[in-house]
Amino acid sequence: MLSEITGARERIALARITTGLAALNTLWHLPPGDVLAEPWNPSPPQTPAASGKLTAEQYEALRRLAFVSVAAWTLGCENKAVKFAANVSFAAVQRHVAQFDQRAWNYNSNLNVYLLLLSLTDSRGSLAAEDTDETSPEVAAAVLAAMRMYYACLYFQSGLSKLLRSGPAWADGRTLRGSWAELGTRAGKWLSLRPMNVAAAASVLTLCFELLYPTAQLALRKRPHTVGLASLAFHASVKATMDISFWHHAVHALPLYVLRPEAERHTARFLRRLRRR
């Protein structure tokens, strides 16, 4: 099956850039340390050391370290210390932020998983000199296959969670219709006023999409752009009707499935120019 994956080296190089930019965007928009210094629900009040949380100064230091190390890695630095710093500091920052709302502990943990997978090998692609790239086609294909399977399993997990928490009744449309009414955009609120069978049909399609995505990925492995475009269309519909964005997940459909491997050379050329400045 791995032998059927073409352009794996180029795709993981594109995924490296995508993951790096997504992590940098996350770090840039995180709240400052003084905002997170006080717990939302201090019961009872604890010092940072007693609670296991970082002080504002420690958090800001780790955030800066994560930003610099992830940026260096994204631009092609393959130093093991830099990769170690990027993974550990980014994970520590994510953990600190997640402690303030345990319900969202895994909101964008996919970035940590992708960062780790891509750090296991030289994923620079064309950014690496010809005589320094040690990534074999088999290793690149294995990393790409792991990222694709993880991407698909995130959907499966979401669908399975709906069934475990609500059962088959989730597909009757009431949950989705309520979400359209409460969270919906203008289009979503309009849909919430349509007959219940509209919401029921959309609910069934959602469950089918999420639960069957891993199977579809395997069945259409020779046409990865098909499953990638389906993913982008799914997230576009969620954004259009409920203004909910899982951009940090959906954006990986581009390097993993949609973009042609040839796009990696053009991206690498742009990054080399950026490094020279």
Side-chain angles (χ1 to χ4, degrees), residues 12-24 65-87 90 111-125 127-128 143 147 252 271 275:
I12 65 170
L14 288 168
R16 175 184 181 132
I17 297 168
T18 304
T19 301
L21 291 177
L24 291 173
L65 175 60
F67 195 92
V68 172
S69 56
V70 170
W73 175 78
T74 305
L75 291 172
C77 180
E78 196 60 19
N79 183 278
K80 291 182 180 179
V82 171
K83 293 200 288 188
F84 179 81
N87 278 273
F90 185 52
L111 298 180
N112 296 87
V113 175
Y114 292 147
L115 180 60
L116 177 61
L117 286 172
L118 292 165
S119 297
L120 296 177
T121 187
D122 187 341
S123 55
R124 290 174 294 177
L127 280 175
V143 171
M147 293 185 70
H252 282 86
L271 290 180
R275 290 192 305 190

Side-chain angles (χ1 to χ4, degrees), residues 44-256:
Q46 291 181 305
T47 64
S51 64
K53 294 180 180 178
L54 302 170
T55 64
E57 293 75 16
Q58 290 171 334
Y59 164 77
E60 286 295 350
L62 276 172
R63 186 181 174 196
R64 293 189 184 96
L65 175 60
F67 195 92
V68 172
S69 56
V70 170
W73 175 78
T74 305
L75 291 172
C77 180
E78 196 60 19
N79 183 278
K80 291 182 180 179
V82 171
K83 293 200 288 188
F84 179 81
N87 278 273
V88 172
S89 59
F90 185 52
V93 169
Q94 293 268 74
R95 176 181 179 274
H96 180 68
V97 175
Q99 284 179 311
F100 288 84
D101 189 359
Q102 290 296 321
R103 295 170 302 174
W105 69 269
N106 65 341
Y107 174 66
N108 62 352
S109 57
N110 63 312
L111 298 180
N112 296 87
V113 175
Y114 292 147
L115 180 60
L116 177 61
L117 286 172
L118 292 165
S119 297
L120 296 177
T121 187
D122 187 341
S123 55
R124 290 174 294 177
S126 299
L127 280 175
E130 290 296 331
D131 57 348
T132 61
D133 182 15
E134 300 175 354
T135 306
S136 67
E138 292 77 13
V139 170
V143 171
L144 178 60
M147 293 185 70
R148 283 179 170 176
M149 185 52 63
Y150 179 73
Y151 187 95
C153 284
L154 289 177
Y155 286 126
F156 184 81
Q157 176 191 28
S158 177
L160 185 63
S161 176
K162 291 179 177 66
L163 289 180
L164 292 178
R165 295 176 71 89
S166 302
W170 192 92
D172 64 14
R174 288 178 297 171
T175 300
L176 183 56
R177 193 184 197 187
S179 297
W180 281 339
E182 181 180 0
L183 306 173
T185 60
R186 180 178 296 182
K189 293 185 184 304
W190 179 84
L191 285 170
S192 71
L193 300 175
R194 300 307 98 194
M196 182 63 77
N197 58 4
V198 174
S203 299
V204 171
L205 288 174
T206 296
L207 278 177
C208 290
F209 174 84
E210 292 180 335
L211 293 173
L212 296 178
Y213 198 91
T215 302
Q217 177 180 260
L218 293 175
L220 299 172
R221 57 184 175 272
K222 293 184 179 179
R223 292 187 291 171
H225 62 281
T226 303
V227 290
L229 290 174
S231 173
L232 293 176
F234 174 77
H235 286 286
S237 67
V238 174
K239 177 69 174 176
T241 57
M242 289 186 285
D243 200 26
I244 297 176
S245 172
F246 292 100
W247 66 269
H248 52 85
H249 172 65
V251 72
H252 282 86
L254 294 173
L256 297 182

